[in-house]
Amino acid sequence: MKRAASLALMRASFALRIALGLAATLMSGAAFAQSCPAPKTMTFEVQSQVRRDVLGLTQGLEVRGDKLFESTGMIAGDTRLTTIDPRTGRVAVLANFGKRFFGEGLTILNNQIFQLSWQEHLAFVYDLNGKLVRSMRNMHDGWGLTNDGTNLIFTDGGDQLYYVNPADFRILRQVSVRSGSRPLPELNELEMVEGKIYSNVFMTWEIVRIDPRTGCVEATANLDGLVDRMTAEERRHMGSDINFVLNGIAYDSQRKVFHITGKNWMSIFTGRFVDQ
């Protein structure tokens, strides 16, 4: 009986600790949610549009000089590193990895290309000609990738921004992303622009602007109007596969314009985001 009573007390004490911890977590979550105001609305003003000559399932996009650098996945194609001329749409293949891994996010830091794989849990480092320099272990799935000039920042399909050391992919810290009071998961392609992170939200027409210091979504843009600028052929092509969604953000800091595209899209759009 004594042993049973002691066990009951231990269970009651454990249950109380769990309840208090849950209450503290909920209070903390509520306090954090209150710190994120409702996002503003952005619009994307298109300035130009170009059709690429070789399609790719765009997973990562980055401006370097007068070229776009791209990482593609392998649905409806191969995993490749390419460059794209944003004036003509001409695509040049730097490296083709076939089906060896599923390519994901891409960024360029310190004159090196960093590319994630999706579920192989690897991060690759190349020179600017696409030659593999080394690889690193990533303990998470790989989705979007960008950098702040010092560290890499990636997502894994959840609502976290992970800051990692570019030398060994060691996680240094992470930031929870929220839109108003709710967590915002499925953050995909990323682009750091003037201290803010722009991100595609997977399987939607939405691009969000995030303050990486707080994790708060500052503004959102719905880009479904891009469909109206596409040809009937393009619209049929996009409708042929549910994977052909909006995904691709690159910022040209010299011209102060964004390049926007999607997975296996024919068109790349150039323009600016404007707060309403």
Side-chain angles (χ1 to χ4, degrees), residues 30 32 44 61 73 92 114 124 138 143 149 175 181 194 197 207-208 220 231 240 245 253 257 264-265:
F32 185 88
F44 182 66
L61 199 64
F114 292 81
F124 302 98
N138 173 16
W143 282 49
V175 177
S181 61
E194 298 176 354
I197 293 178
I207 287 178
V208 298
T220 67
T231 65
S240 68
V245 296
S253 60
V257 294
N264 232 40
W265 283 20

Side-chain angles (χ1 to χ4, degrees), residues 136-189:
M136 301 176 287
R137 187 71 177 165
N138 173 16
M139 300 307 294
H140 295 253
D141 285 353
W143 282 49
L145 182 65
T146 189
N147 75 84
D148 63 3
T150 302
N151 300 310
L152 302 175
I153 306 167
F154 82 98
T155 56
D156 63 358
D159 62 351
Q160 302 293 306
L161 297 172
Y162 296 96
Y163 284 70
V164 300
N165 186 324
D168 56 12
F169 221 78
R170 175 172 49 91
I171 294 177
L172 305 174
R173 62 189 178 93
Q174 61 192 77
V175 177
S176 299
V177 177
R178 280 175 168 76
S179 179
S181 61
R182 64 181 179 88
L184 185 63
E186 299 196 313
L187 301 168
N188 208 1
E189 223 275 289

Side-chain angles (χ1 to χ4, degrees), residues 39-45 209 218-221 272-276:
K40 300 176 182 177
T41 299
M42 299 184 294
T43 58
F44 182 66
E45 297 182 350
R209 186 177 75 228
E218 293 184 335
T220 67
R272 290 184 170 89
F273 286 97
V274 178
D275 286 359
Q276 299 301 294

Side-chain angles (χ1 to χ4, degrees), residues 184-204:
L184 185 63
E186 299 196 313
L187 301 168
N188 208 1
E189 223 275 289
L190 305 177
E191 183 79 356
M192 176 71 81
V193 180
E194 298 176 354
K196 310 294 183 180
I197 293 178
Y198 289 73
S199 175
N200 287 109
V201 181
F202 185 53
M203 298 300 288
T204 76

